[in-house]
RNA sequence: GGGCCCGUAGCUCAACGGUCAGAGCAGGGCGCUCAUAACGCCUCGGCUGGGGGUUCGAAUCCCUCCGGGCCUACCA
């Protein structure tokens, strides 16, 4: 039994996430956490909401609410939706927690002591009317390159040219439209990533088994231009972890907070402290401190590709720079994007399916199966309703659901609702067991390697093997001439249902529970001994014929949803 | 502009430089009748985006062109 620490990129507090966000980190992380638990390993699976930053402040202001209140409410919403999707976090924390405040300030102190923090004075755009400094993208104006009137301060959406907010013609606040903007000097802390460039590069170079998506993004940042740049880690905001605190080695930083991308990854650690504070665990240090028992922990992070630079460079710079024995990540699984029906998911335009909407129309397992079996691992993937309908109906309803149905109903009709006795395995059963053994090896290999699509395909093939066997054994025919042989076949088929429940549980936990529940069994032990697993339910063991596991998606529903989710939420 | 990724059957995707490029879905045929009009078997289907090159051998490596996508450090 080994120990695994798993974190999912923490979703931003601002609004309900769409299916692209879900498959980009949380769902794959949950799959892996559930799989490792199923195999008997000790797992700590953490996630949280990322609550700081300008968008949170603005969203709260728009809602006419204090930002702390707004975040608390949105955290509850996201927590509820996470539960709805059966995301099995050991704790779902908040980056605004007291634990994260303390820890973020602690890291800043350590980095300062190590000489890795510098103070820089910058000139930034200040909006007098809004009473705040504006991030580049919150300044709009006319593009000096193409004349587009709604260009943003960081880039023109029309001609894609990179801009500096000072270049905009007739600049205005994107928040209020105010034009009384002025450049003001402001002092900030900067993390001297450049000083850690070689150390980070060597660390990345040692990670030969990482996804190419992960390492190529990291290398790009390490080697681009003059190499890894220092990064500002503070902002002129009210909502966040205060930069000025008792014991801080700097002065005059009142009214500033740490940049979200400094404090958000630290929440991975703080979340473990919250987990303890919530009474769910006893010792967070044995997961995070290599000097306190975390030396044997394997730490795996899941995230979308947009998060890779922060997890491969900034956060490791924080960890390494602290000079303290914190656990560093061992494997970073990153994902491309999921697109929606020929375009991108769009939160602002309400294009695509969002987590709350998804659960309102179908149970979590339907979504989990499709998303995981189409995870954007090697390239951007696309959600279409046709594909979703076909995959769900075929894989879940026909191949798996119907198998459970035909076996239990046949048994009930011919032998009653208990595992039939009599008969023995013949060559056909031995062949099936051998085939399943090979497929199980392949499945485990793919799951261990976090090759999610391949694992899903193999799992489906394992289900198909059950139908093939049943078709060949044909107990409905055999029962007329050799009831004992038919009983042996049905007994094996009933045990297959239990096996499938165990293997499928990481993907479709509710259906797996329904299958196991129908069998009146609570033994979820991983089938390390396949032969034993296939005879686990003994003759005479009672079961209950379950309801339909997965209903089919009709053409009418598909057509309706296609229209409903096309845009303008 | 620079960098990275992708392009394989109608669709979604596989394939350490090495048998005849494979699966699923869709299409066609047959079988079965336990089952959610479900299941099984067989079958059709490819100049691996185009063009050059390296190699005994290229989907795979190199160059180039075309097409799609992403990143480019103040959204997070």
């Amino acid at each position: 039994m080994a120990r695994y620490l798993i974190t999912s990129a923490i979703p931003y507090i601002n609004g309900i996430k769409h299916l692209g966000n879900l498959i980009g980190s949380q769902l794959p992380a949950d799959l892996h956490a559930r799989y490792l638990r199923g195999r008997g390993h000790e797992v700590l699976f953490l996630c949280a909401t990322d609550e700081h930053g300008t968008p949170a402040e603005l969203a709260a202001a728009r809602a006419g609410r204090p930002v702390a209140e707004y975040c608390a409410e949105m955290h509850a919403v996201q927590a509820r939706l996470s539960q709805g999707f059966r995301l099995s976090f050991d704790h779902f924390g908040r980056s605004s927690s007291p634990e994260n405040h303390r820890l973020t300030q602690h890291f800043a102190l350590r980095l300062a002591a190590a000489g890795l923090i510098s103070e820089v004075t910058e000139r930034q755009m200040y909006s007098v009317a809004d009473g705040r400094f504006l991030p580049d993208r919150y300044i709009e104006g006319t593009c000096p390159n193409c004349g587009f009137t709604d260009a943003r301060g960081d880039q023109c959406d029309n001609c894609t040219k990179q801009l500096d907010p000072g270049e905009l013609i007739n600049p205005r606040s994107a928040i209020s439209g105010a034009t009384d903007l002025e450049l003001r000097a402001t002092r900030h802390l900067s993390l001297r990533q450049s000083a850690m460039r070689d150390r980070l590069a060597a660390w990345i170079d040692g990670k030969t088994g990482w996804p190419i998506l992960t390492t190529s993004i990291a290398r790009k940042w390490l080697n681009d231009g003059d190499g890894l740049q220092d990064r500002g880690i503070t902002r002129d905001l009210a909502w966040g972890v205060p930069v000025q605190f008792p014991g801080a080695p700097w002065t005059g930083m009142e009214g500033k907070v740490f940049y979200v991308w400094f404090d958000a990854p630290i929440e991975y650690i703080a979340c473990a402290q919250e987990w303890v504070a919530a009474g769910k665990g006893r010792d967070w240090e044995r997961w995070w401190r290599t000097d306190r028992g975390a030396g044997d922990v394997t730490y795996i992070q899941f995230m979308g590709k947009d998060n890779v630079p922060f997890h491969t460079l900034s956060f490791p710079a924080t960890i390494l720079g602290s000079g303290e024995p914190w656990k560093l990540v061992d494997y970073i699984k990153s994902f491309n994007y999921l697109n929606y029906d020929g375009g991108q998911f769009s939160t602002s335009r309400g294009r695509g399916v969002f987590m709350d909407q998804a659960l309102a129309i179908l149970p979590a397992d339907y979504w989990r199966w499709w998303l995981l079996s189409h995870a954007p691992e090697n390239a951007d993937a696309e959600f279409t309703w046709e594909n979703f309908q076909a995959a769900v109906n075929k894989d879940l309803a026909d191949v798996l659901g119907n198998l459970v149905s035909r076996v239990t109903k046949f048994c009930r009709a011919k032998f009653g609702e208990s595992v039939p006795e009599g008969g023995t395995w013949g060559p056909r059963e031995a062949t099936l067991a051998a085939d399943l053994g090979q497929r199980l090896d392949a499945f485990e290999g793919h799951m261990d390697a976090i090759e999610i699509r391949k694992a899903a395909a193999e799992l489906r093939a394992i289900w198909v093997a059950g139908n093939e066997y049943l078709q060949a054994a044909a107990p409905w025919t055999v029962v007329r001439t050799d009831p004992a042989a038919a009983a042996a076949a049905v007994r094996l088929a009933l045990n297959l249902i239990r096996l499938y429940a165990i293997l499928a549980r990481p993907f479709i936990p509710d259906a797996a529970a329904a299958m196991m529940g129908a069998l009146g069994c609570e033994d979820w032990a991983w089938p390390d001994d396949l032969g034993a697993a296939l005879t686990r339910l003994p003759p005479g063991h009672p079961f209950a014929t379950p309801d339909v596991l997965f209903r089919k998606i009709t053409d009418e529903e598909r057509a309706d949803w296609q229209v409903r989710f096309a845009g303008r939420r």
Side-chain angles (χ1 to χ4, degrees), chain A residues 436-452:
Chain A
L436 286 175
Q438 283 195 351
R439 292 195 176 282
L440 182 56
D441 283 347
F443 176 69
E444 291 171 351
H446 291 139
M447 290 299 280
D448 289 340
I450 323 183
E451 293 268 12
I452 298 175

Side-chain angles (χ1 to χ4, degrees), chain A residues 532-567:
Chain A
L534 291 176
T535 53
R536 174 64 180 77
L537 299 177
H541 180 90
F543 70 89
T545 303
D547 294 331
V548 165
L549 278 182
F550 299 99
R551 72 172 184 84
K552 296 205 186 192
I553 296 167
T554 67
D555 292 346
E556 291 71 31
E557 286 175 317
R558 188 203 68 208
D560 173 38
W561 295 336
Q562 231 154 6
V563 173
R564 207 198 306 175
F565 297 104

Side-chain angles (χ1 to χ4, degrees), chain A residues 59 137 155 249 256 263 382 423 455:
Chain A
R137 71 159 41 197
Q155 181 179 39
K256 298 176 193 287
D263 79 62
E382 176 162 321

Side-chain angles (χ1 to χ4, degrees), chain A residues 140-153 155-165 167-172:
Chain A
E140 291 176 351
T142 300
C143 175
N145 186 51
C146 73
F148 182 60
T149 55
D150 292 321
R152 291 189 324 213
Q155 181 179 39
C156 174
D157 282 338
N158 187 50
C159 68
T160 74
K161 183 177 171 57
Q162 305 285 308
L163 299 172
D164 185 276
E167 299 176 70
L168 288 174
I169 300 162
N170 299 324
R172 63 181 185 273

